[in-house]
Amino acid sequence: MNKSNNIDKPKKILALSGGVGGAKLALGLAKVLAPEQLTIVANTADDFTHLGLTISPDLDTVMYTLADLNNKELGWGLANESWQAMDAMSALGGDTWFRLGDRDLATHLVRSQQLAAGESLSSVTTYLCHRLGVKHTLLPMTDDPVRTRVKTAGGELAFQEYFVREQCRPAVQGFYFAGIDSAQPQPQWLDLLQSEDLAAIIICPSNPFVSVDPMLQLPQVRAAMKASAAPVIAVSPIVAGLAIKGPAAKMMTELAIPATATAVAAYYGDLLDGFVLDQSDQSLQTEIDQLGLATKVVPTIMKTLDDRIDLATAVLSFADQLFTDSIAGKH
Ligand code: FO1
């Protein structure tokens, strides 16, 4: 955080999100912030081409969640889904390991058609959000193809092969993001990162290795985040040694990193100004403080809409406090 900003600037909030966990906090933020105040940037390194269609799981999870159309049981895809296309695929001996619901298929068809016609992923996302009634800004992290590759003892896997087809069973040895060095961060996002109107950068409780890292490793992003006057705050995706959803804790163990909120804070390192941890991890607060971070302990498990709103409100007030303290020279 660079301290040159002034407190009376209009507030703009940036949230970086992966899939389910990130989308829950993004929804909480969307409930308490006006559309012009909130921009959500989603990871696109999970994207892949499947059955000839371009699938953007994290963008869609956030988009469906903000539109209140998300499938709450599965955590991905649309509510009130039917699976006739998958059943027909199965009868034809087609690929069904990655399940595309009938209604969800429409999103991938429209996206793929518009991309094939030369539209950018950003403009397709804006179009889809508009059609689904999403008012807040949702951006892909880049319009260029970046693809997560998972290194395992048995060889390298594309992210969805690891995550869905292999059900995260192979022990991971590391990750890399093919195409990242030549990818450009989405221009509106980069402008916002460099804007004096930005009041907080929130890293949602998403997987640090495969959801957040691809965003942070894009050229210019880390430098722009560090140069920003806005405090950078991460919400821990690890609570009491477990990931709320997904393989983050399993990955940490396999990478010989302790599966703790402290290790997540240390992993983000000097990029952060503040760290939000769950009340059940209160005993870790002192050691996270000792990393040189401001900390806030609150309930972070988001089961209900009120939980999402409460966490969003707590993170925003923490950001306000860090911003004010930085003006007063305390951080
Ligand atoms: N996750 C699964 O575990 N199984 C699936 O069959 C599956 C299909 C799917 C279709 C569209 C979509 O947008 C997401 C889908 N996901 C599925 C979720 C997704 O692969 C992961 O949750 C994310 O990539 C991780 O953030």
Side-chain angles (χ1 to χ4, degrees), residues 208-263:
F209 311 102
V210 292
S211 298
V212 181
D213 253 357
M215 295 188 261
L216 301 182
Q217 286 192 24
L218 281 164
Q220 307 179 70
V221 168
R222 267 191 105 93
M225 283 172 71
K226 289 188 80 163
S228 173
V232 181
I233 295 172
V235 179
S236 182
I238 299 288
V239 172
L242 299 170
I244 300 300
K245 179 108 176 116
K250 177 176 181 285
M251 286 175 175
M252 292 176 92
T253 306
E254 291 163 359
L255 295 170
I257 300 172
T260 61
T262 311

Side-chain angles (χ1 to χ4, degrees), residues 1 201 203 208-209 212-213 216 222 225-226 231-235 237 252 257 260-276 287-295 322:
M1 181 169 35
I201 303 171
I203 301 179
F209 311 102
V212 181
D213 253 357
L216 301 182
R222 267 191 105 93
M225 283 172 71
K226 289 188 80 163
V232 181
I233 295 172
V235 179
M252 292 176 92
I257 300 172
T260 61
T262 311
V264 174
Y267 185 76
Y268 288 133
D270 64 0
L271 188 66
L272 298 184
D273 298 297
F275 192 75
V276 176
E287 63 186 42
I288 300 176
D289 284 341
Q290 282 163 2
L291 296 172
L293 293 176
T295 49
L322 291 186

Side-chain angles (χ1 to χ4, degrees), residues 57-235:
D58 287 354
L59 272 177
D60 288 350
T61 298
V62 176
M63 179 173 74
Y64 292 156
T65 301
L66 295 181
D68 196 21
L69 294 170
N70 56 310
N71 187 316
K72 289 162 184 93
E73 289 75 45
L74 290 175
W76 47 268
L78 282 162
N80 305 317
E81 192 54 282
S82 59
W83 303 93
Q84 296 205 35
M86 281 294 106
D87 292 346
M89 282 290 289
S90 176
L92 295 173
D95 260 350
T96 55
W97 61 269
F98 194 83
R99 296 184 55 74
L100 297 172
D102 299 333
R103 299 177 72 226
D104 186 35
L105 260 175
T107 301
H108 311 305
L109 288 166
V110 170
R111 176 186 295 116
S112 304
Q113 183 189 31
Q114 293 196 6
L115 290 173
E119 295 291 335
S120 66
L121 185 58
S122 298
S123 80
V124 180
T125 303
T126 302
Y127 173 81
L128 291 169
C129 283
H130 172 70
R131 296 296 303 196
L132 296 182
V134 173
K135 301 265 187 300
H136 296 78
T137 303
L138 173 63
L139 303 173
M141 66 179 198
T142 177
D143 285 322
D144 301 318
V146 174
R147 298 293 177 258
T148 299
R149 305 285 303 172
V150 184
K151 296 183 202 168
T152 77
E156 222 177 87
L157 295 168
F159 181 75
Q160 298 298 345
E161 292 170 349
Y162 160 78
F163 192 89
V164 176
R165 198 188 67 200
E166 303 302 324
Q167 302 280 294
C168 306
R169 276 181 299 259
V172 302
Q173 297 176 335
F175 310 94
Y176 71 92
F177 309 114
I180 197 125
D181 294 336
S182 53
Q184 292 304 308
Q186 203 283 343
Q188 235 178 299
W189 173 31
L190 197 56
D191 280 354
L192 183 59
L193 277 178
Q194 292 165 344
S195 156
E196 291 199 347
D197 297 342
L198 192 59
I201 303 171
I202 299 166
I203 301 179
C204 290
S206 296
N207 187 308
F209 311 102
V210 292
S211 298
V212 181
D213 253 357
M215 295 188 261
L216 301 182
Q217 286 192 24
L218 281 164
Q220 307 179 70
V221 168
R222 267 191 105 93
M225 283 172 71
K226 289 188 80 163
S228 173
V232 181
I233 295 172
V235 179

Side-chain angles (χ1 to χ4, degrees), residues 20-21 23-25 27-28 65 68 70-73 205 239 243-245 278-280 299-312:
V20 188
K24 287 182 178 177
L25 181 56
L27 178 63
T65 301
D68 196 21
N70 56 310
N71 187 316
K72 289 162 184 93
E73 289 75 45
V239 172
I244 300 300
K245 179 108 176 116
D278 188 72
Q279 55 189 4
S280 62
T300 64
I301 298 176
M302 294 174 278
K303 291 203 170 123
T304 64
L305 179 59
D306 280 346
D307 295 339
R308 292 157 175 73
I309 292 171
D310 288 349
L311 181 57

